[in-house]
Amino acid sequence: MRAKEYLSQVRFLDERITCKLADAARLQDMATRITPILREDGVSGGGAPDRLADAVAKIVDLKAEINRDIAAKLGKLTDRRYYAVLFRRYLLFETFEKISCEMNYSWRHVCSLHGQALEAFQKVLDAEKDA
């Protein structure tokens, strides 16, 4: 797996979490609009919100695990600027413009650092794969 694909896993999971949470909110909204009819035989609901909550919890756990894994691998980069650019870009989802302002670099320099950081990170991934 290429460095950029590896780092982009977090954004994909974040998007999945957002979709699942929106679906959970929709189901919650539907559930609060329904007037229950109480009967003696009392049939329980389908449990869809519980399954959805379980799915969201699993995705959140997976995202946290991937974040920890990526942060640990980013920690192996020797240049602190590479770590900062990749961490801000792929874990905090910041734009290059925001990164350049926060790091006090030009946009062009941040783009250059990003490319160099991806190359360095690919070497970290390759070294772990070979080990």
Side-chain angles (χ1 to χ4, degrees), residues 40-79:
E40 285 188 31
D41 57 346
V43 178
S44 65
D50 291 337
R51 286 196 307 265
L52 187 62
D54 290 344
V56 169
K58 287 178 185 175
I59 292 170
V60 168
D61 290 344
L62 181 60
K63 181 183 174 190
E65 181 181 328
I66 288 174
N67 279 350
R68 282 190 304 273
D69 188 37
I70 288 174
K73 289 181 183 191
L74 284 177
K76 294 180 181 178
L77 293 172
T78 56
D79 191 323

Side-chain angles (χ1 to χ4, degrees), residues 12-22 56 59-61 63:
F12 172 72
L13 287 173
D14 195 57
E15 290 169 359
R16 283 184 60 191
I17 290 169
T18 301
C19 290
K20 294 284 186 181
L21 289 174
V56 169
I59 292 170
V60 168
D61 290 344
K63 181 183 174 190

Side-chain angles (χ1 to χ4, degrees), residues 31-45:
T32 57
R33 290 185 196 177
I34 298 171
T35 305
I37 299 174
L38 300 177
R39 299 186 320 198
E40 285 188 31
D41 57 346
V43 178
S44 65

Side-chain angles (χ1 to χ4, degrees), residues 4 32 51-52 58 64 80 84 89 96 113 116 129:
K4 197 169 187 176
T32 57
R51 286 196 307 265
L52 187 62
K58 287 178 185 175
R80 65 171 180 76
R89 181 72 177 159
F96 289 126
L113 277 176
Q116 295 168 16
K129 188 172 71 171

Side-chain angles (χ1 to χ4, degrees), residues 82-131:
Y82 293 170
Y83 175 87
V85 169
L86 294 181
F87 186 86
R88 290 175 182 277
R89 181 72 177 159
Y90 294 101
L91 295 178
L92 300 180
F93 311 125
E94 292 181 356
T95 63
F96 289 126
E97 290 82 6
K98 184 170 183 178
I99 296 169
S100 65
C101 287
E102 291 183 8
M103 294 182 71
N104 203 24
Y105 293 139
S106 70
W107 179 84
R108 186 176 302 246
H109 187 64
V110 168
C111 290
S112 176
L113 277 176
H114 177 257
Q116 295 168 16
L118 285 175
E119 289 176 13
F121 189 66
Q122 185 63 51
K123 290 177 183 175
V124 169
L125 292 177
D126 290 344
E128 287 185 356
K129 188 172 71 171
D130 293 339

